[in-house]
Amino acid sequence: MKVTDPDTIQIMKDYMANGRFSRGVTQVHADASMVFIGNLNHPVETLVSNSAMDLFQPLPKEFDLALMDRFHFYLPGWEIPKSSHALLTDHYGFVTDYLAEALRTLRKENRFDALNGEFRLGAHVEGRDANAIRRTVSGLLKLFHPHGEWTREELRGYLELAMESRRRVKEQLKKRGAFEFYRTSFSYIDETDGRETTVGVPEQGGQGAIVQDALAPGAAYTATVDEESRVSLLRIEVTCAAGTGKLRIPSGMPRGIKESLNRAWAYLQVIKDRSGLTATLATKDFAAEAVDLSGGGAEAECGVAFFIAIMSALQNRSIEGGTVVLGDLSIQGNIKAPVSITESLQVALDNGALRALVPVANKKQVALLPEDVVEKLDIVFYGDVDRAVIKGLVG
């Protein structure tokens, strides 16, 4: 598909959102859906795990985030079996003319509110998400239950399929870097018992990236957001072995992360005499790595997490399980608080964090955090890097 007319994208946006478009001075209303079919040129696993790629790769480059946000449903073609004789029925079928007329007649029925009184959509399901999910459920009910009768468990199944397929759309938009799409922890509440169920995307796995048990000494989680609103969740890994006091940094480490590590290492050299670490450091070599768990690609400022990881490896003590560390560090040990903690804490919570170490300078921002972040995350403030180490390490 090639887009040659620059007005095409805006016309598509208006139609996909409102069901109308203009022909000269005339406003035309229509009901037809738009379906885009394409082939993935890479394995799904590669597209999901690579921060520079996503499942929207086959779409025209002119398709921007606003247009793709109007997609209601991403059908995972890789889950559909190839056509074969085994899939053909030996029962009667409908002539296409009749089937088309039946489906056209079903358009007059409104099943948009079928979920009401049975299931309630969770906090992360926002306006456009809710509309997409309800429309998908309505369509599935018409296809499989044209007579208008279904069970509660059948309705639950259609709801989960609709939520999964809409979340798949949002996950691709999130990978393209806009924080407005980071609320992807889709869930629904059963109105009969109040139980909340989270619906994941199978190809991304069902577990959060943050392990809630204590990691090995030298490992820490951190999250950061850059000036372009890109959010990254990182796992910092530091190991030490017998050596002569050197720090080894892999050549491919991003510039921002490398600078944070160097500042943390420089501060350690400043305090090693008064901390009684001079002799110990002289006999150790350190290697450091940063693993991008979210594919956000943000320029990270994570000096405090690196310093805690270094001390964790040096003392052979783990960091508290499920803890994410925010904040950067100067070479003199001064804390550089992030401009905003909202995005980082939301991503951390979505990935399984239980606890967050946050600079005390960000304390006023707690009032601006989403309710679920304040309720579910144990936010611990620190005023200096020494307090961060004490509060971060087990025991």
Side-chain angles (χ1 to χ4, degrees):
M1 178 178 177
K2 295 182 179 179
V3 180
T4 56
D5 186 340
D7 294 330
T8 300
I9 299 300
Q10 188 57 48
I11 293 172
M12 289 176 64
K13 288 180 188 176
D14 292 342
Y15 179 70
M16 293 167 74
N18 307 309
R20 64 173 182 264
F21 61 96
S22 298
R23 297 285 291 183
V25 296
T26 304
Q27 282 280 322
V28 181
H29 291 262
D31 296 319
S33 297
M34 303 185 79
V35 180
F36 301 90
I37 302 175
N39 293 316
L40 299 176
N41 297 321
H42 302 277
V44 173
E45 296 78 10
T46 301
L47 294 172
V48 170
S49 61
N50 191 322
S51 62
M53 307 173 79
D54 57 56
L55 297 176
F56 283 155
Q57 291 295 119
L59 292 174
K61 63 181 184 302
E62 291 85 0
F63 280 23
D64 58 21
L65 297 180
L67 188 145
M68 291 185 288
D69 189 28
R70 286 159 166 76
F71 295 159
H72 288 172
F73 191 99
Y74 190 118
L75 180 66
W78 56 89
E79 293 183 4
I80 299 175
K82 292 182 178 180
S83 180
S84 69
H85 288 291
L87 298 177
L88 299 178
T89 181
D90 56 2
H91 296 284
Y92 289 103
F94 290 131
V95 176
T96 53
D97 291 12
Y98 172 82
L99 182 61
E101 179 61 21
L103 295 177
R104 192 185 71 84
T105 301
L106 281 171
R107 276 189 172 274
K108 300 174 184 177
E109 296 187 16
N110 182 7
R111 300 185 185 177
F112 187 81
D113 297 325
L115 296 173
N116 292 358
E118 300 288 347
F119 304 104
R120 188 172 74 254
L121 301 178
H124 277 213
V125 182
E126 299 168 322
R128 196 163 277 165
D129 306 320
N131 184 56
I133 291 166
R134 287 180 176 274
R135 285 182 178 274
T136 298
V137 171
S138 174
L140 291 171
L141 290 174
K142 291 179 182 180
L143 286 172
F144 296 116
H145 305 272
H147 56 303
E149 298 176 5
W150 53 82
T151 67
R152 198 165 187 275
E153 287 310 303
E154 287 171 333
L155 182 61
R156 184 194 301 272
Y158 302 142
L159 171 59
E160 292 185 354
L161 176 60
M163 296 186 79
E164 173 197 317
S165 300
R166 172 58 186 176
R167 177 170 176 174
R168 187 173 286 111
V169 172
K170 290 288 288 287
E171 292 290 352
Q172 311 319 306
L173 299 176
K174 182 170 75 172
K175 285 190 75 173
R176 297 204 175 193
F179 179 69
E180 63 183 292
F181 301 114
Y182 263 82
R183 291 170 64 83
T184 59
S185 185
F186 283 9
S187 63
Y188 66 89
I189 299 93
D190 191 317
E191 295 280 25
T192 59
D193 56 14
R195 181 179 176 184
E196 186 169 9
T197 301
T198 299
V199 178
V201 182
E203 63 270 15
Q204 294 188 192
Q207 299 296 322
I210 294 178
V211 178
Q212 298 181 350
D213 296 327
L215 295 174
Y221 295 109
T222 187
T224 182
V225 58
D226 64 15
E227 295 177 352
E228 298 179 10
S229 296
R230 294 180 302 178
V231 186
S232 281
L233 179 66
L234 306 173
R235 184 176 69 246
I236 304 298
E237 299 177 355
V238 175
T239 58
C240 63
T244 56
K246 296 178 180 178
L247 173 65
R248 304 183 187 281
I249 304 175
S251 58
M253 181 176 284
R255 179 179 56 83
I257 298 176
K258 184 184 296 185
E259 290 176 355
S260 290
L261 172 57
N262 283 330
R263 287 193 295 270
W265 181 256
Y267 175 64
L268 181 62
Q269 304 310 307
V270 170
I271 66 165
K272 64 182 181 182
D273 289 340
R274 69 171 184 262
S275 300
L277 296 173
T278 303
T280 303
L281 289 175
T283 62
K284 302 285 186 183
D285 277 353
F286 292 81
E289 181 63 277
V291 181
D292 190 342
L293 301 175
S294 62
E299 278 294 332
E301 295 184 341
C302 47
V304 177
F306 265 122
F307 188 82
I308 295 177
I310 292 172
M311 298 305 292
S312 169
L314 195 60
Q315 300 176 23
N316 197 31
R317 294 167 60 195
S318 296
I319 295 172
E320 291 274 1
T323 298
V324 63
V325 182
L326 305 189
D328 201 10
L329 189 66
S330 74
I331 59 174
Q332 293 186 343
N334 296 313
I335 301 299
K336 299 167 66 178
V339 175
S340 172
I341 61 174
T342 303
E343 301 87 345
S344 298
L345 292 183
Q346 182 69 68
V347 171
L349 177 63
D350 291 347
N351 282 276
L354 302 173
R355 186 168 177 264
L357 291 181
V358 179
V360 72
N362 294 111
K363 196 169 186 176
K364 292 182 179 179
Q365 295 183 19
V366 172
L368 304 176
L369 292 173
E371 289 183 9
D372 59 331
V373 173
V374 177
E375 179 184 350
K376 297 177 181 178
L377 264 187
D378 179 16
I379 302 175
V380 180
F381 295 100
Y382 64 88
D384 57 62
V385 70
D386 295 330
R387 297 296 297 172
V389 172
I390 293 171
K391 293 181 177 182
L393 299 183
V394 175

